Amino acid sequence: MIDLTASEIRDGVRAGKWKAREVVDAHLERIAAVDPKLHAYLHVDADGARAAADRVDASGVKGLLAGVPVAVKDNMCQRGIPTTCASKILEGFRPPYDATALLRALAAGAVPVGHTNLDEFAMGSSTENSAYGPSRNPWDPTRAPGGSSGGSAVSVAARMTPLAFGSDTGGSIRQPAALCGVVGMKPTYGRVSRYGLVAFASSLDQIGPIARTVRDAAMFLQAFAGHDALDSTSAPAEVPDYEKDLEAGVKGLRVGVPKEFFGAGTDPGVRAAIDAALKVLQKQGATLVEMSLPHTDYGIAAYYVIAPCEASSNLARYDGVRFGHRAKSFDGLIDMYRKSRTEGFGEEVRRRILLGTFALSSGYYEAYYKKALQVRRLIKNDFDEAWKKVDVIAGPTSPIPAFKIGEKANDPIAMYLCDVLTVTAPLAGIPGISVPAGFTEGNLPVGLQLLGKEWSEATLLRTARSYERETEFWKRSPAL
Amino acid sequence: MSLPWETVIGLEVHVQLKTRTKLFCGCANKYGADPNTLVCPICLGLPGVLPVLNRQAFALAVRAGVALGCEVANVTKFDRKNYYYPDLPKGYQISQYDRPVNRKGRLEISMPAANKNIGITRVHLEEDAGKLIHPDTEGSSGVSFVDLNRAGVPLVEIVSEPDMRSPDEAHAYLAALKEILQYVDISDCDMEKGSLRCDANVSIRRPGDDKLGVKTEIKNLNSFKSVAKALAYEAARHASIIEGGGKVQQVTLTWDAIAEKTVVLRSKEEAHDYRYFPEPDLVHIQADAAFVERIRQALPEKPAARRDRYVKELGLPAYDAGVLTGDKELAALFDKLRGEGLAPKVASNWVMKHVLAAMNEKKIAATTFTDKTRRIAELAKKVEAKQITGQTGAEIFAWILGTPETASVDEHILKQGLAQVSDAGALEAIVRDVIAKNPKVVADYKSGKPSAVQALVGQVMRETKGKANASVAKDLLVKALEC
Amino acid sequence: MTRHLYPLFSLRMDITRPLVEKVALLARLEIPPADADRVAAQLGRIVTMVETLNKLDTKGVEPLSNPTGLVDAFRSDEPRPSLSRDEALANAPDKVEMFLRVPRVVE
Ligand SMILES: [Mg+2]
Ligand SMILES: [Zn+2]
């Protein structure tokens, strides 16, 4: 049962082939068996999951996700369920509200099984920055699963759930999806409501689906995308039917291959896998177009100004007054703030708060924050130019496959560079997807990244599906 | 002897807007509720929640700008002002930095010498903070309490140019500002409830200097009186520093209303670094010309313009016009009485005399009379037509105040027998009686003192309990005495 | 992996200890004195990486603070239920009766 895809589970529940309760029991059993090795979960809500499954079974209405077990990244608020962002500062926090995307999935019949591990407040690329210990890559548990949605990617890759929510700010869905060999999509900024997603960098954050197949990703996104009156930045535009043209193929599609996506640091195994992937698309009728996105290499620098600036402000509310950790002893108000925050936040989070505070402070704003926003514009302009010549852009999701846990722990900049190929999409607000593209010689998954213009999720899903149909890498599962 | 100084004052005024809900969430915008009962995840700043702008608050901010003669921006945006304080849930205030809703307005103030225009730099929209309570009960000396009911209530911040030259001008500016904001109905401007709050910037210089002196900022002035006093105190303090050879330090102060002096809050070095940046959770707002024009059209007339119109078009004495337009509700009552068919001066007389007297005596608002204008007008017309006497009119006015509008004035007059007696037949017997009872006065009259008839008229009035038509009575008396 | 793009410049913006301490106060964080030099050096390296942006001429380029092209998102001025006080204060680390409690605010 754990090998079923989400659409198979849903169809079976609708047809009365199996009960949602049986499905969730099988997945809870799987979690109990493999999660001690992988640590994908911070909180498993077995009772809540069974109750939700029973409700689906009792209900006559069987929604788009009827009976499908779903993992929730622990930066999405769920009413009454501990939501910590993998941070000590939110230990014990139980929100009195649900994230809109989660609420919609629930309304579609999804069965939430628990909250997954992440880099604290989604700040990181390996899930090592969790205050509750790292998650492990199911393909090699000595390696990191990527991040920040590492727990979600692991849950899906290790068959603990067929679907998981991720959130992407600089690559946090696509990169762990690539490193764990699953499908992960970051939708267009504004496609999905951010209400209830604990903010890291508000102008970049987007919730998206992680799944084993492209169809599952499409179906999942369909269930939670769309305008939300509680999020002013969510687009009032109608959501197209993502499954409708999924099998339509790529004949005539112009696929741009930017030379900047294959820089000197690219792992040879990754390079080979992506070269092969491009040939598959070509064989299926797509035209490959060599091109350039000249400002790609400035993405990391712009991102590591903009995201910390917004984060420094977004994380000011963790002050030990209305919720969250408060230090036991302190001397006066300012000391209470400083001790509570210093004790509550991990090192990477503190580093980014300092960086952002510095870059916004008087005298530095123009040189850093404003400069980064101007470069952001240049990056967006690159893409706007590109769409005149190509329909999608293809390349690796990550220049390297999964790395060893601890390998980059003491070198923040090396860690930041993991995001070099993923940060430009959120900076420009465009959608991107990572789809499994085979393995390196060391049997580590590689992800093919496809980027498209705003609101082109359907095109990206169709392209990814076309490639997936030919290759079927998703059928391989890690030995556990 | 010291040379004269010129005081330079600019004011920043925060005004709470009259909306039903807060600026970014659906919690009620209400004063006086139990602590922490008007809060939700959004105004508590819980993780993951997002603001959504209240349309009415935006419209009221535009209305404030239009009323103050501002240019309304066609695109406006919000920014975050970052600082830590326990009454500020998110650790930042959503405010406006470089693209406020309104800029470049003016407000006319009337001073004894001449009227003067005070420039308005900007009027922007922002959210209020919560309230801190500093308990003085035993064991509570080291703590403060936080009530977040007010957190997120919509405010406009109105920043003036440094155009005021005396504490009196500052006082007049505040009074004019309050008057106009109440008039256009965007705020009740009640300083006691904190719905109008004032910070002041003050510096001094030699008359004729075009460079401004070093300014100090006085925070949280919470009454008109303290604004004037604090500014006078602070200007004098500056003068004595400079005259003593010192330099004024740029500091932020508060006004100690008990000791009547300013107290330093923080120095320039300790000044906040607010790290403003664009609020990523909100989108830009476009106020197109048609929208602004609709708000302009719907704007109530400003007090000064209304005053002028009452004098020029309705022929009211300046004094009456001033009193009536001094209170928006009073003026509305006056307009309503005219709508019931009263001549301007008659309507004015009734408001100035009876309404104001009742308001003062019974401590009631002008709005108490709003649904009584039909009967008041009816009454005024009867007095004008001498169907009842002025004195009876006053009594019936008091009766109207205590009865619903459905109670009929005519019926009341009939039942109580209050109509003026003009019927000669009904009066003749009384006239004869009065003449018989007052031989001395009759003798006076007959001996060539015609004014003596007034005493007899008075007697007739007394006998009829004031209901007699005095001139009819007089005619009858004269006729009886002449024959 | 170190990309060709980020040669080790000497620090242009000098991230000194006093600067880091000032920023830490602004951010309401503490830096233990023993860590201060290390933190300053680390931030210095990140700031240097960020300063590669200065290789680009951005004169006249309009800053892009948010990719959303949306305008005019409003809600109507209709009250919605607030939380009960118990719910509102449920996650608070320190409260007394009706209030949140904090160390005495001096200002
Ligand atoms: Mg303000
Ligand atoms: Zn609220």
Side-chain angles (χ1 to χ4, degrees):
Chain A
M1 202 152 253
I2 57 164
D3 287 321
L4 295 172
T5 65
S7 55
E8 287 166 348
I9 290 172
R10 187 262 326 265
D11 292 346
V13 168
R14 280 179 174 173
K17 222 158 126 188
W18 45 65
K19 293 212 169 290
R21 178 61 183 266
E22 294 170 61
V23 174
V24 78
D25 280 339
H27 286 88
L28 288 170
E29 207 175 293
R30 173 71 172 176
I31 291 171
V34 303
D35 202 47
K37 275 182 271 182
L38 300 176
H39 194 222
Y41 284 84
L42 293 177
H43 178 80
V44 177
D45 181 25
D47 292 342
R50 289 192 189 100
D54 288 344
R55 277 196 298 277
V56 171
D57 287 330
S59 155
V61 195
K62 301 282 189 268
L64 197 57
L65 301 176
V68 181
V70 168
V72 181
K73 189 177 180 179
D74 197 36
N75 60 353
M76 287 172 68
C77 291
Q78 187 174 359
R79 185 188 295 265
I81 301 289
T83 301
T84 70
C85 295
S87 180
K88 289 277 182 233
I89 212 157
L90 275 178
E91 195 159 355
F93 175 68
R94 287 170 191 265
Y97 47 94
D98 289 302
T100 298
L102 172 57
L103 207 57
R104 289 183 180 172
L106 298 181
V111 174
V113 299
H115 282 209
T116 56
N117 202 8
L118 64 151
D119 290 295
E120 185 178 354
F121 284 101
M123 296 180 186
S125 311
S126 69
T127 316
E128 291 169 279
N129 294 337
S130 166
Y132 305 99
S135 297
R136 295 178 177 275
N137 194 311
W139 297 92
D140 176 354
T142 67
R143 291 176 187 270
S148 67
S149 309
S152 286
V154 172
S155 178
V156 173
R159 268 72 174 158
M160 290 188 267
T161 53
L163 300 177
F165 277 109
S167 72
D168 192 313
T169 304
S172 280
I173 290 175
R174 292 161 289 153
Q175 187 256 17
L179 269 48
C180 291
V182 295
V183 178
M185 180 171 225
K186 181 205 98 73
T188 308
Y189 186 81
R191 178 87 286 177
V192 180
S193 169
R194 292 184 295 114
Y195 187 84
L197 171 68
V198 179
F200 160 17
S202 312
S203 78
L204 299 156
D205 297 340
Q206 252 326 259
I207 290 171
I210 295 176
R212 278 205 299 284
T213 68
V214 175
R215 178 170 297 279
D216 280 4
M219 176 177 110
F220 190 20
L221 177 61
Q222 193 84 52
F224 62 78
H227 179 248
D228 176 15
L230 297 177
D231 177 2
S232 307
T233 64
S234 74
E238 208 172 305
V239 181
D241 182 347
Y242 292 131
E243 288 189 74
K244 190 166 140 260
D245 292 324
L246 209 51
E247 304 295 341
V250 292
K251 194 155 280 168
L253 194 81
R254 298 167 302 169
V255 176
V257 184
K259 58 174 188 278
E260 292 81 4
F261 278 30
F262 300 85
T266 311
D267 176 271
V270 170
R271 169 112 219 190
I274 299 305
D275 283 346
L278 294 172
K279 289 211 180 72
V280 169
L281 289 172
Q282 195 172 29
K283 202 185 96 193
Q284 292 180 322
T287 314
L288 301 186
V289 181
E290 279 184 29
M291 59 169 297
S292 171
L293 294 167
H295 297 97
T296 300
D297 285 336
Y298 295 93
I300 289 286
Y303 177 83
Y304 279 94
V305 175
I306 295 164
C309 282
E310 294 185 24
S312 70
S313 174
N314 282 332
L315 272 59
R317 68 187 61 197
Y318 304 93
D319 58 2
V321 176
R322 285 142 295 118
F323 55 85
H325 175 76
R326 180 184 291 194
K328 290 272 173 296
S329 64
F330 44 80
D331 179 18
L333 179 68
I334 291 184
D335 197 46
M336 186 278 276
Y337 284 145
R338 297 185 81 175
K339 287 214 162 66
S340 302
R341 290 166 56 79
T342 304
E343 290 171 13
F345 290 133
E347 188 176 6
E348 180 62 25
V349 173
R350 279 182 274 135
R351 181 155 47 231
R352 294 200 199 187
I353 293 173
L354 289 174
L355 194 59
T357 305
F358 161 72
L360 285 176
S361 66
S362 159
Y364 303 107
Y365 180 95
E366 299 270 324
Y368 295 97
Y369 182 65
K370 188 178 166 208
K371 180 83 185 181
L373 294 185
Q374 290 176 309
V375 174
R376 185 178 193 176
R377 171 76 63 186
L378 295 178
I379 288 168
K380 171 137 176 45
N381 290 349
D382 279 359
F383 282 114
D384 288 345
E385 275 307 304
W387 308 132
K388 293 174 185 165
K389 295 178 219 119
V390 301
D391 303 303
V392 301
I393 289 170
T397 306
S398 164
I400 51 167
F403 46 89
K404 293 273 188 192
I405 288 171
E407 190 184 318
K408 296 175 192 293
N410 296 316
D411 187 353
I413 293 179
M415 190 69 92
Y416 296 172
L417 289 171
C418 292
D419 303 333
V420 65
L421 301 177
T422 49
V423 286
T424 53
L427 286 170
I430 59 169
I433 191 168
S434 180
V435 59
F439 296 82
T440 62
E441 278 178 15
N443 199 36
L444 296 172
V446 175
L448 168 69
Q449 178 173 230
L450 302 168
L451 303 176
K453 65 176 154 226
E454 291 89 343
W455 320 114
S456 71
E457 283 84 355
T459 306
L460 293 182
L461 288 161
R462 168 164 63 90
T463 310
R465 171 60 194 147
S466 180
Y467 170 74
E468 177 193 66
R469 190 169 51 220
E470 180 73 23
T471 54
E472 295 200 319
F473 290 117
W474 68 275
K475 288 192 169 166
R476 267 213 252 170
S477 97
L480 281 166
Chain B
M1 197 203 107
S2 64
L3 294 160
W5 291 100
E6 181 180 63
T7 310
V8 177
I9 298 165
L11 297 181
E12 286 176 22
V13 177
H14 287 88
V15 175
Q16 284 184 351
L17 296 176
K18 261 193 206 176
T19 53
R20 298 175 69 196
T21 65
K22 293 187 180 181
L23 186 52
F24 297 115
C25 68
C27 291
N29 170 11
K30 202 163 70 184
Y31 180 81
D34 281 352
N36 294 309
T37 56
L38 302 177
V39 291
C40 71
I42 295 168
C43 56
L44 282 171
L46 296 189
V49 299
L50 299 169
V52 183
L53 180 61
N54 181 338
R55 187 191 303 273
Q56 177 66 3
F58 178 71
L60 291 184
V62 172
R63 197 194 289 178
V66 172
L68 292 168
C70 292
E71 293 170 11
V72 181
N74 38 25
V75 178
T76 181
K77 76 182 215 314
F78 291 90
D79 299 273
R80 291 187 184 176
K81 180 180 180 179
N82 295 283
Y83 64 98
Y84 287 87
Y85 215 58
D87 63 7
L88 187 70
K90 299 184 293 299
Y92 56 84
Q93 178 194 32
I94 303 179
S95 181
Q96 299 196 287
Y97 185 61
D98 58 344
R99 297 176 88 171
V101 185
N102 312 286
R103 284 181 199 271
K104 291 188 191 152
R106 84 207 74 78
L107 180 62
E108 190 178 61
I109 60 172
S110 58
M111 299 304 295
N115 286 6
K116 177 177 176 179
N117 269 320
I118 305 297
I120 306 278
T121 315
R122 55 189 283 155
V123 179
H124 73 246
L125 188 54
E126 61 183 26
E127 57 181 341
D128 208 344
K131 222 162 47 191
L132 292 170
I133 295 132
H134 311 295
D136 49 12
T137 53
E138 197 160 334
S140 292
S141 58
V143 302
S144 295
F145 294 156
V146 190
D147 170 13
L148 294 174
N149 282 351
R150 205 181 64 185
V153 162
L155 297 175
V156 282
E157 179 178 324
I158 301 161
V159 182
S160 84
E161 292 290 311
D163 284 350
M164 287 154 270
R165 292 291 173 268
S166 69
D168 283 348
E169 286 190 6
H171 188 280
Y173 169 82
L174 274 181
L177 191 61
K178 177 175 167 167
E179 182 184 59
I180 193 164
L181 296 180
Q182 283 178 334
Y183 233 79
V184 299
D185 204 25
I186 67 156
S187 175
D188 55 20
C189 294
D190 187 337
M191 280 189 109
E192 269 173 38
K193 290 182 186 169
S195 62
L196 186 153
R197 305 194 290 273
C198 180
D199 303 337
N201 287 301
V202 57
S203 63
I204 60 168
R205 65 179 170 188
R206 295 295 182 191
D209 271 7
D210 21 300
K211 238 185 88 201
L212 292 169
V214 176
K215 66 175 181 185
T216 56
E217 186 184 11
I218 317 169
K219 286 268 178 204
N220 297 324
L221 294 163
N222 54 18
S223 72
F224 278 44
K225 216 180 268 168
S226 55
V227 171
K229 277 189 179 171
L231 285 170
Y233 175 91
E234 194 56 14
R237 192 179 70 86
H238 287 207
S240 78
I241 290 172
I242 299 170
E243 284 163 9
K247 271 187 181 156
V248 174
Q249 298 298 313
Q250 192 182 328
V251 291
T252 303
L253 308 143
T254 51
W255 174 244
D256 182 337
I258 294 160
E260 302 215 321
K261 57 177 199 159
T262 54
V263 181
V264 175
L265 204 58
R266 54 180 123 59
S267 67
K268 190 185 177 189
E269 290 69 41
E270 296 163 320
H272 294 302
D273 181 348
Y274 290 123
R275 291 160 286 134
Y276 279 100
F277 76 103
E279 165 57 277
D281 290 333
L282 293 167
V283 300
H284 290 198
I285 303 298
Q286 294 178 338
D288 61 48
F291 171 80
V292 176
E293 196 44 42
R294 274 202 303 283
I295 286 185
R296 196 187 304 280
Q297 294 295 336
L299 211 57
E301 190 178 21
K302 290 186 196 180
R306 199 173 204 174
R307 195 157 47 227
D308 280 359
R309 185 166 58 84
Y310 281 5
V311 172
K312 287 189 190 124
E313 291 177 22
L314 304 180
L316 289 188
Y319 176 76
D320 287 29
V323 172
L324 291 174
T325 55
D327 177 339
K328 186 183 168 183
E329 302 302 342
L330 219 52
L333 202 61
F334 166 76
D335 285 347
K336 212 165 164 220
L337 286 171
R338 288 206 310 113
E340 299 282 357
L342 294 189
K345 183 59 188 157
V346 174
S348 169
N349 285 346
W350 277 81
V351 174
M352 303 279 293
K353 196 171 164 218
H354 301 292
V355 171
L356 277 179
M359 281 169 64
N360 289 332
E361 193 181 308
K362 298 192 154 68
K363 300 271 170 272
I364 50 178
T367 46
T368 317
F369 299 88
T370 307
D371 64 355
K372 304 191 184 300
T373 50
R374 187 183 55 75
R375 288 191 300 163
I376 294 172
E378 198 183 327
L379 178 63
K381 284 177 198 163
K382 286 187 192 301
V383 174
E384 283 304 295
K386 299 197 168 25
Q387 290 164 3
I388 49 175
T389 63
Q391 192 193 334
T392 308
E395 285 164 21
I396 298 177
F397 182 84
W399 170 82
I400 286 175
L401 195 52
T403 50
E405 190 70 349
T406 48
S408 158
V409 173
D410 278 336
E411 223 168 85
H412 179 68
I413 290 172
L414 209 63
K415 268 195 205 150
Q416 302 294 317
L418 297 173
Q420 183 157 291
V421 184
S422 309
D423 176 14
L427 287 177
E428 265 169 7
I430 300 167
V431 165
R432 271 199 302 275
D433 194 35
V434 165
I435 288 174
K437 279 184 185 161
N438 295 280
K440 192 175 173 300
V441 185
V442 173
D444 282 351
Y445 179 85
K446 294 206 163 164
S447 68
K449 262 179 144 185
S451 63
V453 77
Q454 284 308 333
L456 296 173
V457 172
Q459 286 296 320
V460 173
M461 296 307 284
R462 207 165 302 140
E463 290 293 319
T464 58
K465 295 197 175 74
K467 284 177 289 182
N469 182 323
S471 71
V472 175
K474 189 180 169 192
D475 287 352
L476 285 172
L477 280 165
V478 170
K479 220 164 87 187
L481 290 168
E482 296 293 311
C483 63
Chain C
M1 187 197 70
T2 308
R3 301 260 298 179
H4 57 102
L5 218 95
Y6 306 109
L8 288 171
F9 292 110
S10 61
L11 302 190
R12 251 173 297 168
M13 172 65 217
D14 207 8
I15 306 291
T16 58
R17 247 181 101 142
L19 176 63
V20 169
E21 276 156 9
K22 194 186 131 211
V23 171
L25 174 61
L26 207 50
R28 296 295 185 263
L29 290 171
E30 261 181 353
I31 299 177
D35 274 2
D37 287 327
R38 189 178 59 87
V39 171
Q42 219 159 37
L43 287 175
R45 280 195 295 278
I46 298 168
V47 168
T48 301
M49 181 271 278
V50 159
E51 283 175 346
T52 56
L53 295 176
N54 292 332
K55 291 200 282 183
L56 293 174
D57 180 6
T58 53
K59 207 178 293 153
V61 176
E62 176 70 15
L64 176 64
S65 61
N66 197 314
T68 180
L70 299 171
V71 294
D72 293 352
F74 292 109
R75 41 173 277 274
S76 61
D77 189 21
E78 298 292 332
R80 288 168 55 94
S82 297
L83 294 173
S84 71
R85 190 192 291 127
D86 284 350
E87 283 177 296
L89 304 185
N91 284 294
D94 191 10
K95 58 201 160 191
V96 260
E97 291 163 34
M98 302 178 287
F99 296 102
L100 298 157
R101 182 160 60 184
V102 295
R104 175 63 62 116
V105 177
V106 186
E107 198 167 290

